[in-house]
Amino acid sequence: MVPPAHFTSYYGRPVLKAAPWTHDIPAYLFLGGLAAGSSLLAAGGDLTGRPVMRRTGRLAALTALTGSFVALVHDLGRPDRFYNMLRVAKPTSPMSVGTWVLSAYGPFAGVAAAGELPGFGWLRPLGRPAGLVAAAVAPAVASYTAVLLADTATPAWHEAHRELPFLFVGSAAAAAGGLQLALSPAAETGPAQRLAVAGAVLELAAEHRMEQSMGIAAETLHEGRAGQWMRTARALTTTGAVAGLGARRSRVLAILAGGALLAGSVCTRFGVFEAGQESARDPRFTVVPQRERLAARG
Amino acid sequence: MTTNPAVDAGWADPPPRKGFFTDTSVCIGCKACEVACKEWNAVPDDGMNFLGSSYDNSGELGGSTWRHVKFIEQPPVDLGMPSTTLPGSEGTKTDFRWLMSSDVCKHCTHAACLDVCPTGALFRTEFGTVVVQEDVCNGCGYCVPACPFGVIDKRIGEGVKNEGLAQKCTLCYDRLQDGLTPACAKACPTESIQFGDLDELRERAAQRVDQLHGAGVPQARLYGEDPDDGVGGLGAFFLLLDEPEVYGLPPDPVVTTRDLPRMWKRAGLAAATLLAGAIAVFGAGS
Ligand code: SF4
Ligand code: SF4
């Protein structure tokens, strides 16, 4: 459809309000994904006799989870009231659903990781069952954050609701696989390598599709700060995937791949976050698609 | 008549749904509503600003601006449209049109802010309005990007009351409980802001549009009165004299949670993909 030649606004001011969220939130998106992917690899490593992968994955999951929790609470207007999230369980609120998903995931990921630490040996027998429960919940941890963003009036998030969950799980898999490539011995990292490369490919493909389907809001992924994040993300993720193919033959490539995939995942989260904020600030992304919708309805 | 959101929210036998009908055609831009709202609700100052946008110096609705009077100065443009002067009248069109409108929370039938609130701080009152409980809100800010009208916001300002919490118009919940008219409607000297039972306000508004059309104001239109729109109709709706976007209102607002089932389905699919992928990579050799 031909976009209207011009659109009117009230002194160019936004129609919507951008989320009052700081960079805690994209950091949280990244860390949550890393934790989820790491729990999956840890459980697989445990079941298939890859002790270093198991240990690395469990500790990474706990570290990332702790970081994501700190970021989440820090972003609240009243951090001391965090527990109010636990007053209700609301399926219409992705943040409420996410709180309960994390409440189900956190303790198990924590127990599994604690068993790996000196002094907590008595928890080790619980490591496998706890790790398996954490791994079962992990995919929800990685994907719900896409709904968290999409369930808003923010044009670049809402219009991306079809692909965003795939982008985010791809990004989570790439980050967690990358971390294992960098930290675990080559003898154990076959599955991590495959997960990392597949995750990177999914991330790149989902992002490409998303841009086709989200209408003019896709412009925000190319311009300004969001554009820089997204271009950097693509370059890093592509580099990481290519280097990842050779990662089991060369330590240097393994570290390069891991670093690039982790950094690419960070950039993707910040890029998507910033694109949404920009799309809320510019009334064009609110008014023009709604006008087109009205025109199409006749 | 129409669905009562108070009943949907679980109130047994609530009073009739209350709302505002803001007839912008008689607004004179005196800002009595802004002042009355600040006074009654003890809403803190949010800046002495000169914004360079006509007489509008409060800028936008937000945590500390619950009524916001907008001023639009329209230069003369001849679009070749029918004249807006009364047929047969001597006077010519003024060369300039000033639109004024007092904006407020819409108290949506399907309120996205309320849907997404993870603490239950936002709730539906027995009057069908949407109110934040300031002792429950933890300032997560989720309601802010959820609102399709950019109404609710976290209150900012060092040390102000309820700093960091989401705040917006309560439709004077305290006054309603005592059978009083909200402060803004009470203070409005032209009855541009009308308060009452929503069903009755809708009838009154339809008559007013007919009257204006008859008087040669074809641009008069209602905004948000239709219970079949994307937000199920507004509890606070408007009579406008131009397109909604001229007033900074979205032309076709939709409650984001309408698409939520589809979003969860996609997220479920993505989660299954990740799980299947993680299993597959371990099955495929060393
Ligand atoms: S206008 Fe915005 S803040 Fe007011 S009820 Fe509707 S969604 Fe909530
Ligand atoms: S900021 Fe307060 S009212 Fe808004 S969604 Fe969060 S808890 Fe609910």
Side-chain angles (χ1 to χ4, degrees):
Chain A
M1 177 176 290
V2 188
H6 68 280
F7 82 104
T8 14
S9 73
Y10 182 69
Y11 297 102
R13 290 196 193 136
V15 172
L16 304 169
K17 288 217 167 19
W21 295 335
T22 64
H23 283 161
D24 284 336
I25 297 302
Y28 160 74
L29 300 175
F30 162 73
L31 290 170
L34 179 60
S38 294
S39 283
L40 285 165
L41 284 174
D46 183 24
L47 294 176
T48 60
R50 294 178 166 89
V52 184
M53 173 180 279
R54 182 203 72 216
R55 193 181 142 81
T56 308
R58 286 178 178 173
L59 292 176
L62 180 61
T63 310
L65 181 69
T66 309
S68 74
F69 184 75
V70 169
L72 205 57
V73 173
H74 182 251
D75 199 66
L76 296 177
R78 289 286 300 270
D80 56 316
R81 288 192 189 170
F82 171 77
Y83 59 86
N84 279 2
M85 299 272 191
L86 305 170
R87 284 177 79 235
V88 288
K90 275 174 77 172
T92 61
S93 169
M95 196 179 283
S96 173
V97 172
T99 302
W100 289 105
V101 166
L102 285 173
S103 304
Y105 168 78
F108 292 101
V111 167
E116 304 287 350
L117 294 172
F120 287 90
W122 51 279
L123 275 175
R124 198 151 309 154
L126 293 176
R128 176 164 294 179
L132 286 175
V133 176
V137 185
V141 173
S143 68
Y144 99 85
T145 48
V147 186
L148 182 79
L149 294 191
D151 192 30
T152 59
T154 299
W157 295 341
H158 186 85
E159 295 310 322
H161 69 264
R162 293 167 217 85
E163 294 83 13
L164 210 50
F166 292 92
L167 178 65
F168 278 12
V169 300
S171 182
L179 186 76
Q180 288 282 358
L181 284 182
L183 297 183
S184 296
E188 290 191 13
T189 53
Q193 179 194 40
R194 290 186 285 273
L195 191 70
V197 174
V201 170
L202 177 61
E203 182 177 343
L204 292 166
E207 205 268 327
H208 183 74
R209 264 198 82 138
M210 183 171 98
E211 290 192 20
Q212 317 297 311
S213 78
M214 62 195 275
I216 62 166
E219 288 175 26
T220 55
L221 291 166
H222 296 280
E223 284 155 19
R225 232 176 332 156
Q228 275 165 11
W229 284 115
M230 293 312 285
R231 278 190 296 279
T232 314
R234 263 193 301 273
L236 285 167
T237 305
T238 310
T239 310
V242 174
L245 294 173
R248 295 183 69 206
R249 267 164 282 138
S250 144
R251 204 60 217 134
V252 176
L253 274 184
I255 291 171
L256 175 76
L261 289 170
L262 284 161
S265 177
V266 171
C267 292
T268 297
R269 310 305 180 125
F270 276 77
V272 168
F273 178 78
E274 291 291 350
Q277 298 297 70
E278 189 46 41
S279 73
R281 285 186 211 112
D282 185 340
R284 191 163 60 94
F285 297 116
T286 309
V287 173
V288 172
Q290 293 191 17
R291 270 282 153 223
E292 287 175 356
R293 203 155 67 200
L294 282 174
R297 230 184 284 144
Chain B
M1 294 191 56
T2 50
T3 56
N4 186 336
V7 174
D8 295 345
W11 290 95
D13 199 22
R17 184 176 178 188
K18 296 285 190 267
F20 286 131
F21 164 45
T22 305
D23 177 355
T24 70
S25 70
V26 293
C27 177
I28 54 171
C30 69
K31 302 193 191 179
C33 49
E34 278 193 26
V35 176
C37 174
K38 285 254 184 199
E39 281 292 323
W40 181 263
N41 294 299
V43 176
D45 150 59
D46 62 352
M48 287 278 278
N49 303 316
F50 178 69
L51 300 179
S53 43
S54 188
Y55 279 77
D56 176 1
N57 290 321
S58 40
E60 58 187 347
L61 291 172
S64 298
T65 304
W66 296 356
R67 268 277 176 193
H68 169 222
V69 184
K70 296 174 171 176
F71 295 78
I72 300 127
E73 298 179 21
Q74 288 185 333
V77 264
D78 187 5
L79 298 171
M81 303 290 274
S83 151
T84 58
T85 49
L86 278 174
S89 76
E90 291 294 294
T92 47
K93 243 193 317 189
T94 48
D95 61 351
F96 165 86
R97 185 164 77 142
W98 213 344
L99 302 175
M100 285 157 261
S101 163
S102 180
D103 198 8
V104 70
C105 169
K106 319 302 184 277
H107 296 277
C108 308
T109 305
H110 303 303
C113 63
L114 191 161
D115 285 345
V116 306
C117 175
T119 63
L122 274 155
F123 81 113
R124 179 80 60 182
T125 73
E126 63 272 38
F127 304 104
T129 56
V130 179
V131 173
V132 189
Q133 301 170 81
E134 60 189 34
D135 53 341
V136 176
C137 171
N138 66 14
C140 75
Y142 201 9
C143 49
V144 178
C147 170
F149 301 95
V151 170
I152 194 166
D153 204 356
K154 275 164 80 167
R155 180 170 286 172
I156 43 174
E158 202 70 35
V160 297
K161 184 185 78 165
N162 292 338
E163 177 192 354
L165 304 184
Q167 303 274 277
K168 69 168 191 71
C169 160
T170 68
L171 215 124
C172 284
Y173 188 36
D174 50 349
R175 293 176 65 94
L176 258 54
Q177 284 170 315
D178 283 340
L180 299 173
T181 296
C184 56
K186 189 87 191 165
C188 177
T190 63
E191 293 189 342
S192 172
I193 301 174
Q194 300 176 30
F195 165 78
D197 293 355
L198 193 58
D199 286 339
E200 203 254 304
L201 290 175
R202 283 179 176 151
E203 280 167 34
R204 208 188 294 174
Q207 283 168 14
R208 175 65 181 156
V209 175
D210 287 346
Q211 187 190 16
L212 283 168
H213 286 174
V217 188
Q219 312 94 324
R221 79 214 51 205
L222 296 180
Y223 176 81
E225 89 295 358
D226 179 4
D228 295 322
D229 68 15
V231 291
L234 304 180
F237 66 101
F238 299 82
L239 185 153
L240 304 177
L241 297 177
D242 206 329
E243 300 292 354
E245 55 266 41
V246 169
Y247 296 86
L249 295 167
D252 184 32
V254 172
V255 57
T256 180
T257 39
R258 189 188 68 182
D259 299 326
L260 191 56
R262 206 165 352 136
M263 293 188 235
W264 282 130
K265 219 175 287 165
R266 297 293 290 180
L269 222 57
T273 306
L274 178 60
L275 188 61
I279 293 171
V281 296
F282 282 96
S286 67

